[in-house]
Amino acid sequence: MAFNFGGATSNPAASAFGGFGTTTTTVAAPGATFSFAPPATGSLFGNMQNKGFGFPTGLSTGTAAGTSGFGTGTGLGATSLGGFGGFNIQQTQQQQGGLFGQQAGQNQSTQLYQQVTALSAPTLLGDERDSILAKWNQLQAYWGTGKGYYSNNNPPVEFNQENPFCRFKAVGYSCIPMSKDEDGLVVLILNKKEADVRAQQQQLVESLHKILGSNQTLTVNVEGVKALSNDQTEVIIYLVERSPNGTSKRIPASTLFNYLEQANIKVQLTQIGVVMSVTRTELSPAQLKQLLQNAPAGVDPIIWEQAKVDNPDPEKLIPVPMVGFKELLRRLQIQEQMTKQHQTRVDIISNDISELQKNQATTVAKIAQYKRKLMDLSHRVLQVLIKQEIQRKSGYAIQVDEEHLRVQLDTIQSELNAPTQFKGRLNELMSQIRMQNHFGAVRSEERYSVDADLLREIRQHLKQQQEGLSHLISVIKDDLEDIKLIEHGLSDSGHMRGGILS
């Protein structure tokens, strides 16, 4: 079967290549695909006449007899042959043959000779008007439409967009399919919108199963659904056959395609909206080599060779011709569609990133909260340990290490109370706060901020002062209890002494 070229995409499975069959019928959607072979039964490169893959190299090595371009006059006639060089008809006839056969080569050479004659030396009127007619034929050849009259004894030459002088052609690149025939992927093109196909996907699967004979051992699976231009949709399917022993395998793509291409089956597929079906299989090395060796019809071999050299990724991309504005528009629509899909994916990723950023901010806040809670719990544990240690060593004399610790604490306290240390800075801050409160009504727009490290040091210092005051208060309370106990003991001993004396 022939294959069709789609837009160049980064996903091989998403390209519009159809696979190569062996003895199947070419199916092409009008105006939607690019096919090298006309609809005929046979191999890809067989049964082709007048429209070979390109002209032999001899076409660009010489010049036409007596001419060096489109004509001998000025303007269009003075230009070269559309950038393709001159033509040596004799050499062309000698090199024809091989792939297309001797008869096809002669027909192609005759047609090329007639085109060159119409563009350079028409003999229709026999006077100076023939040069004007040559320029008109050149213009028609450039545009790829119209008829070129060149002789009274011969019919006019038909100019189409595949003629070698048409200017509206270029070479692009499309992805090479990577799926194997064993994968069983077959593409169905439906004349329905993507939303409708997705909504009725189950009904479509059931309809295909009925078309395949309602065999209980066969299961129709949908690999993917993608929107195409002109409100069409591409559905990729594969067929799984389950054996009685429990194993399963995929039906080869060529087998499924051959079944779907039967006349009665195609009628049933048309009833459910299927306009075309192609296999999605990779090219064999021989097919790929044969495709690259011969330039497409109307494309200069030099340009084709340069396109192969400029291929950015020969392992994944293949050059394809773009002839006419319809093909350019189709590829532009495919590119716009892929751009929208990429933009949709980028929007989804952007939303995911925003959600992750929100979760990160929430997590950071929770971590800070847990840190504060951990610090508070640490302080509470430390207070409990202090009280426990005080109770444990109650009634014991002060030990040597405790005396050293008291000396160190006194030293630290004296350093803190020094004028240049925290206490002096705290007093300075307090005075600034009082001044700010005093002049706040006059200069309410002024704001003062304290460095975070300094504020933390102040808070730590105040906390230590508070702890010191609490400890001092507890010591005083203990001493008062001891004094009361001593006074009570003295009073009891005095009463006892007085009773004995009396």
Side-chain angles (χ1 to χ4, degrees), residues 336-353:
E336 290 177 350
Q337 180 182 355
M338 293 302 299
T339 302
K340 290 181 181 179
Q341 294 180 0
H342 293 165
Q343 185 62 43
T344 302
R345 177 57 57 184
V346 169
D347 294 339
I348 294 175
I349 295 174
S350 178
N351 294 334
D352 293 342
I353 292 175

Side-chain angles (χ1 to χ4, degrees), residues 164-213:
F165 310 105
C166 180
R167 293 298 182 90
F168 303 119
K169 61 182 65 174
V171 178
Y173 299 94
S174 293
C175 291
I176 302 176
M178 298 298 179
S179 302
K180 299 182 181 297
D181 187 45
E182 293 79 10
D183 296 335
L185 298 181
V186 174
V187 178
L188 301 179
I189 307 299
L190 284 76
N191 265 336
K192 295 181 180 180
K193 295 183 179 180
E194 181 188 7
D196 298 337
V197 173
R198 291 187 180 276
Q200 302 174 0
Q201 181 173 329
Q202 185 61 34
Q203 292 85 339
L204 176 63
V205 171
E206 294 176 357
S207 300
L208 292 173
H209 189 262
K210 291 180 181 179
I211 293 174
L212 294 172

